[in-house]
Amino acid sequence: MAAHATVDRERSARRIELDIETLAGPDYTVSSEAIRRYAYTPVYRNTLDYFTAALQELGFTVSEDPVGTLIARNRPPGQPVFGIGSHCDSNRNGGRYDGTMGVVTALEVCRLNAELGLDLPLQLISFLEEEGSGFGQMLLGSRIMLQRVTEDELRESFRAIDDGRSFWEHAESAGYEPARWRESIHALDDLTGWIEMHIEQARVLQDTGNRIGLVHTIAGYVHADVIVEGRGDHAGATPMDLRLDPTTVLAETVLELERLAVAAGQGTVGTVGEIEVDPGLINAIASRIRFSLDIRGPVDDAYSGVARDVAAFAERAAAARGMTADVRQRQTLPATPLDDRIVDALDAAAAATGEPYIRMHSGAAHDTMCVADRVPSAMVFVPCKDGISHHPDEDANPADAALAAEIILGAIAALQD
């Protein structure tokens, strides 16, 4: 299919922009200062209803899985379909494009499919709780679908940030049937492939002058905590040579993490994003400090080696100063290689448009990490201004999303042959 010869990109861009502007309105966010919507809130329900109405207009059958992931298809159950979509929940201080632009672009693919008379078999999915804003659990909807959780976690461990009630209780209160959560995986039964479009959340595309990124790998990561036990003393009365100050270990470890990540290369990155100081007073030497480690990359040996080495360094640095450091791992996910056949089809469709594009890896986690376990998958990135994401200043161009819709449509058409 020569999609590049028939798609009206300007019309697609206008529709995408209208969808996004609408979904940034007061009916779709609980905050007037940011986009803030997450599972089982009225504004999230409104968002699902918006997509439901638009898809039903196109003749799609729309349903939700037992916990609230939206599923819409233009073929009866049992017939093969190609999956597209993303998530429409947001970070608590989010912008209008992260996730939502991916679902809107998938909707535009469905619109183009109808307008051009292609009749491609499609299934759109908008995953529940990708950001973790409701329950502090990233990729929750897709993890539930891929059976990467336990029932005890859903019943007891996963609790709402707002009121402390369990995920299970919230799901039931919203009219869902979490007792059937294991059935969610059947949403993937008929998928022959999957493509998720997302804003890049970095500035590689912007800085290299490319409008499209074709993702071949999603970075894996290690999340951990380092707890350093020192001794709380008076900040003024305690001589420097008599201090057991755990913040010194923090400082040394942050610099060592930077050195190790740079030395590892291959897309490896690392940061300390959380710091908790006890007692946290200006005139007191800390008795204890906790800081997080977020270490990622597309090459498992590289980033996991950094995680191992920085943990050992923190322990040595603490011991050298007469203190102890305890490194506790939170979560580890391996890198996710995506499907060469689908990436190649996207490459051919992108080349046909004449617009600049590159192949790249994703440093951020996405629902596609879970879907790829079961379905051949790929991702398409579009630039976001200055790489800003998870912030109200997040900005992306609907024209780039329209181009992505055209490329996705062309790739799916080619993959039907």
Side-chain angles (χ1 to χ4, degrees):
M1 185 206 75
H4 64 283
T6 54
V7 171
D8 184 340
R9 292 184 196 169
E10 291 187 2
R11 181 174 59 186
S12 284
R14 287 194 300 270
R15 286 193 296 222
I16 289 169
E17 183 173 25
L18 178 60
D19 288 331
I20 289 171
E21 289 298 318
T22 300
L23 293 170
D27 291 339
Y28 303 95
T29 171
V30 299
S31 169
S32 61
E33 299 174 352
I35 303 301
R36 187 178 304 157
R37 58 173 171 257
Y38 43 91
Y40 312 138
T41 59
V43 296
Y44 187 75
R45 178 70 261 166
N46 292 346
T47 307
L48 296 184
D49 290 345
Y50 180 89
F51 284 114
T52 296
L55 288 158
Q56 287 176 336
E57 278 189 31
L58 298 171
F60 279 64
T61 300
V62 184
S63 62
E64 294 170 31
D65 79 357
V67 296
T69 285
L70 182 76
I71 302 158
R73 53 189 291 144
N74 65 357
R75 292 291 191 277
Q79 292 191 16
V81 285
F82 199 99
I84 51 178
S86 189
H87 64 94
C88 63
D89 61 304
S90 80
N91 183 271
R92 284 193 169 229
N93 188 47
R96 61 186 63 190
Y97 299 98
D98 182 349
T100 301
M101 181 175 257
V103 183
V104 166
T105 300
L107 172 60
E108 182 61 20
V109 170
C110 297
R111 288 169 173 153
L112 293 171
N113 184 49
E115 289 176 355
L116 298 174
L118 300 175
D119 196 31
L120 298 173
L122 300 175
Q123 177 171 295
L124 183 150
I125 301 177
S126 179
F127 283 102
L128 179 88
E129 276 294 284
E130 194 267 0
E131 297 288 0
S133 292
F135 299 90
Q137 294 291 323
M138 294 189 341
L139 312 181
L140 183 54
S142 53
R143 284 165 55 204
I144 289 171
M145 187 172 286
L146 272 295
Q147 322 288 286
R148 291 186 178 183
V149 299
T150 67
E151 185 155 320
D152 183 67
E153 287 172 330
L154 298 177
R155 284 185 178 274
E156 299 294 339
S157 304
F158 296 167
R159 295 197 165 265
I161 294 170
D162 287 339
D163 62 15
R165 293 162 62 211
S166 71
F167 173 86
W168 197 278
E169 185 177 353
H170 272 278
E172 286 187 329
S173 296
Y176 294 101
E177 299 177 82
R180 296 175 48 232
W181 68 271
R182 290 185 179 84
E183 299 174 24
S184 297
I185 197 168
H186 295 306
L188 305 180
D189 285 350
D190 301 333
L191 293 194
T192 60
W194 165 262
I195 298 172
E196 178 179 5
M197 178 270 185
H198 207 280
I199 61 171
E200 183 197 354
Q201 300 178 278
R203 50 186 301 155
V204 174
L205 293 177
Q206 174 181 289
D207 289 356
T208 58
N210 286 284
R211 294 185 65 189
I212 294 291
L214 307 180
V215 180
H216 55 73
T217 308
I218 302 174
Y221 63 84
V222 174
H223 282 174
D225 290 302
V226 181
I227 296 96
V228 183
E229 300 287 351
R231 186 179 65 220
D233 285 310
H234 192 283
T238 308
M240 293 300 291
D241 60 349
L242 297 179
R243 297 179 180 218
L244 298 179
D245 184 349
T247 64
T248 57
V249 178
L250 164 66
E252 291 177 338
T253 304
V254 169
L255 292 175
E256 180 66 4
L257 174 58
E258 179 186 49
R259 188 192 71 78
L260 288 169
V262 171
Q266 302 181 88
T268 305
V269 295
T271 197
V272 170
E274 298 174 353
I275 300 172
E276 292 180 356
V277 180
D278 182 16
L281 301 174
I282 192 171
N283 61 351
I285 299 168
S287 60
R288 180 180 187 271
I289 190 167
R290 179 195 70 83
F291 58 93
S292 64
L293 299 174
D294 183 316
I295 304 165
R296 308 188 189 212
V299 180
D300 288 335
D301 288 346
Y303 74 81
S304 62
V306 170
R308 179 190 63 244
D309 292 348
V310 78
F313 175 88
E315 291 170 350
R316 291 196 307 272
R321 292 176 174 273
M323 295 175 281
T324 61
D326 181 19
V327 182
R328 303 174 185 175
Q329 195 167 106
R330 287 197 211 174
Q331 187 180 32
T332 298
L333 281 178
T336 304
L338 300 182
D339 185 78
D340 289 339
R341 180 169 174 259
I342 297 179
V343 176
D344 287 345
L346 288 166
D347 196 304
T353 68
E355 298 291 341
Y357 70 96
I358 57 172
R359 292 193 182 209
M360 63 188 299
H361 79 271
S362 170
H366 297 282
D367 290 311
T368 296
M369 297 177 78
C370 295
V371 179
D373 271 359
R374 191 174 176 94
V375 179
S377 300
M379 292 189 70
V380 175
F381 280 170
V382 297
C384 56
K385 186 178 179 181
D386 297 332
I388 296 171
S389 181
H390 289 184
H391 190 275
D393 290 344
E394 188 177 272
D395 192 13
N397 190 342
D400 292 332
L403 175 62
E406 177 180 330
I407 291 168
I408 293 168
L409 189 72
I412 295 172
L415 289 164
Q416 304 306 303
D417 296 338

